Amino acid sequence: MKDQGLVDEKLVLLKGVSGAFKPGVLTSLMGVSGASKTTPMDVLAGRKTGGYIEGNITISGYLKKQETFARTLGYCEQNDIHSPHVTVYESLLYSAWLRLPLEV
């Protein structure tokens, strides 16, 4: 990218992003490959470990607290194995068991 004249050291993936989800309703984030669907979900879920996260994340107007928000967000990654023989709840529970600390 620097060969094309970009002088910034950081690549901004998401800027000015906002959204809303209805409580208690299964929501799907869809789009073409490379449309940055996973990035905002990783940031919300607290799974993004590299790069820079700047700005404020608010939930219902309050700053997000990761330790409490992790208890309310169910998120299965796209590369998780999903069986047609289990419910959505069971898939989310299994995904959480794989990633979250036992105290959560």
Side-chain angles (χ1 to χ4, degrees):
M1 292 179 58
K2 288 188 178 188
D3 293 341
Q4 297 177 11
L6 185 68
V7 295
D8 293 333
E9 292 294 321
K10 297 180 196 176
L11 174 63
V12 178
L13 294 179
L14 304 168
K15 185 174 185 177
V17 175
S18 65
F21 299 94
K22 190 172 182 179
V25 175
L26 178 65
T27 303
S28 176
L29 185 59
M30 299 173 20
V32 297
S33 179
S36 290
K37 301 171 296 293
T38 304
T39 303
M41 293 305 294
D42 283 343
V43 170
L44 280 175
R47 295 185 186 168
K48 207 47 137 173
T49 57
Y52 301 94
I53 299 171
E54 298 175 346
N56 295 322
I57 299 174
T58 58
I59 310 295
S60 297
Y62 297 96
L63 284 177
K64 182 188 96 162
K65 293 181 182 176
Q66 185 57 39
E67 56 277 0
T68 55
F69 188 68
R71 298 171 190 258
T72 62
L73 175 71
Y75 168 44
C76 290
E77 292 184 358
Q78 60 192 10
N79 56 357
D80 285 351
I81 297 172
H82 302 290
S83 169
H85 304 290
V86 297
T87 65
V88 172
Y89 175 79
E90 291 167 332
S91 290
L92 291 171
L93 189 61
Y94 182 72
S95 183
W97 281 339
L98 292 176
R99 292 179 178 83
L100 295 175
L102 290 176
E103 61 269 12
V104 175

